[in-house]
Amino acid sequence: MPYQSQLETTPLPATFQTPATVATDWRTGLPCLTGNLVNLREMRASDAPALFAALSSEQVSKFISPPPATVEGFGRFINWAIRQRQAGQYVCFAVVPHGTDTAVGIFQVRSLEPAFGTAEWGFALAPECWGTGIFVDGAKLVVDFAFEGLGVHRLEARAAIKNGRGNGALRKLGAVQEGVLRRSFLRNGEYLDQALWTILQDEWLQAKTVWGSRVIH
Ligand SMILES: CC(C)(COP(=O)(O)OP(=O)(O)OC[C@H]1O[C@@H](n2cnc3c(N)ncnc32)[C@H](O)[C@@H]1OP(=O)(O)O)[C@@H](O)C(=O)NCCC(=O)NCCS
């Protein structure tokens, strides 16, 4: 995916030289972000069964913190996410393909400092969505929202080195691998090495020369 090379070769159009502000107070509710394939919207209590079905398989959870083990657990997670968003510490979007109202995954961003200057993001999709383009479509929206809406300047992601798809997805999005966090993640009784990937706000604005996003309130 050409975000990285675009950075080196493409002059910045005037329309992208300053970040547009996403006109929403996200602490009172997340905007609905519309891509080519999906909408990203706030999770609802009614998403719990769909998210449980989408994210509870071993295939999805192998290299990430274990998701809730029951539908009720997802319900508690959704309530927690909304409280964290109200507290200004965390946001989590449900991924909803166009033409449906069924959540097939999540994108989450949490602040690593009091006001979201540096943040960490994560994502998971139902296996049937892998390789469909949904990841990149949703990722563009949520990274854009992080920089323009939350005021992030540095967005970090951690991916277990063994997680081929997770690392491949971040690489093709244009994230930069800054290093390896040795034995930093305990999963199934084993300490795994993780790659630290980052996207900086100014780099992302340049990568945006090849795409755009809309915000619906
Ligand atoms: C991470 C996730 C959201 C990415 O979505 P996806 O649809 O699988 O991602 P994509 O197919 O768009 O991109 C993955 C890329 O990695 C590549 N890839 C797949 N296996 C790979 C491997 N073993 N090594 C390196 N790259 C690999 C794919 O070919 C693809 O690149 P391409 O489109 O250029 O061919 C999804 O795989 C997922 O939900 N995984 C489980 C949860 C998870 O691991 N989350 C990430 C934590 S960092």
Side-chain angles (χ1 to χ4, degrees):
M1 205 56 188
Y3 295 114
Q4 204 84 349
S5 54
Q6 286 284 342
L7 276 180
E8 292 149 17
T9 57
T10 309
L12 197 60
T15 47
F16 291 120
Q17 284 177 359
T18 53
T21 301
V22 177
T24 180
D25 179 2
W26 54 269
R27 287 174 193 77
T28 60
L30 294 180
C32 179
L33 310 176
T34 298
N36 294 322
L37 303 174
V38 296
N39 287 333
L40 301 187
R41 61 154 171 80
E42 180 123 52
M43 294 186 298
R44 302 171 186 147
S46 58
D47 290 326
L51 287 175
F52 173 72
L55 305 180
S56 60
S57 69
E58 161 71 8
Q59 200 180 359
V60 173
S61 64
K62 193 170 180 184
F63 298 118
I64 60 176
S65 299
T70 62
V71 172
E72 293 71 28
F74 266 94
R76 287 190 292 276
F77 165 67
I78 291 167
N79 288 336
W80 172 87
I82 291 169
R83 288 196 305 275
Q84 287 290 299
R85 187 255 302 147
Q86 290 166 339
Q89 288 302 301
Y90 170 92
V91 298
C92 186
F93 288 96
V95 181
V96 181
H98 290 333
T100 80
D101 194 28
T102 303
V104 296
I106 57 170
F107 283 91
Q108 51 189 343
V109 186
R110 78 181 171 101
S111 181
L112 295 179
E113 54 185 72
F116 263 111
T118 303
E120 179 180 5
W121 68 312
F123 33 79
L125 296 174
E128 59 269 25
C129 299
W130 296 6
T132 63
I134 284 178
F135 168 74
V136 168
D137 194 46
K140 288 175 179 175
L141 295 170
V142 77
V143 175
D144 204 28
F145 180 76
F147 290 132
E148 298 182 4
L150 299 175
V152 173
H153 78 89
R154 172 184 162 91
L155 189 60
E156 300 183 354
R158 288 158 177 73
I161 296 289
K162 290 181 177 177
N163 186 352
R165 293 204 85 87
N167 287 289
L170 286 158
R171 182 178 296 108
K172 77 175 182 179
L173 201 62
V176 173
Q177 187 181 332
E178 293 189 347
V180 174
L181 307 172
R182 298 182 302 159
R183 298 187 192 166
S184 54
F185 180 51
L186 183 61
R187 188 74 179 103
N188 293 327
E190 181 189 7
Y191 278 106
L192 302 177
D193 292 350
Q194 292 177 297
L196 175 65
W197 294 91
T198 59
I199 305 174
L200 301 181
Q201 185 198 38
D202 54 350
E203 294 174 350
W204 185 253
L205 290 173
Q206 291 186 51
K208 273 183 64 177
T209 56
V210 292
W211 59 275
S213 66
R214 282 190 299 133
V215 176
I216 296 174
H217 301 287

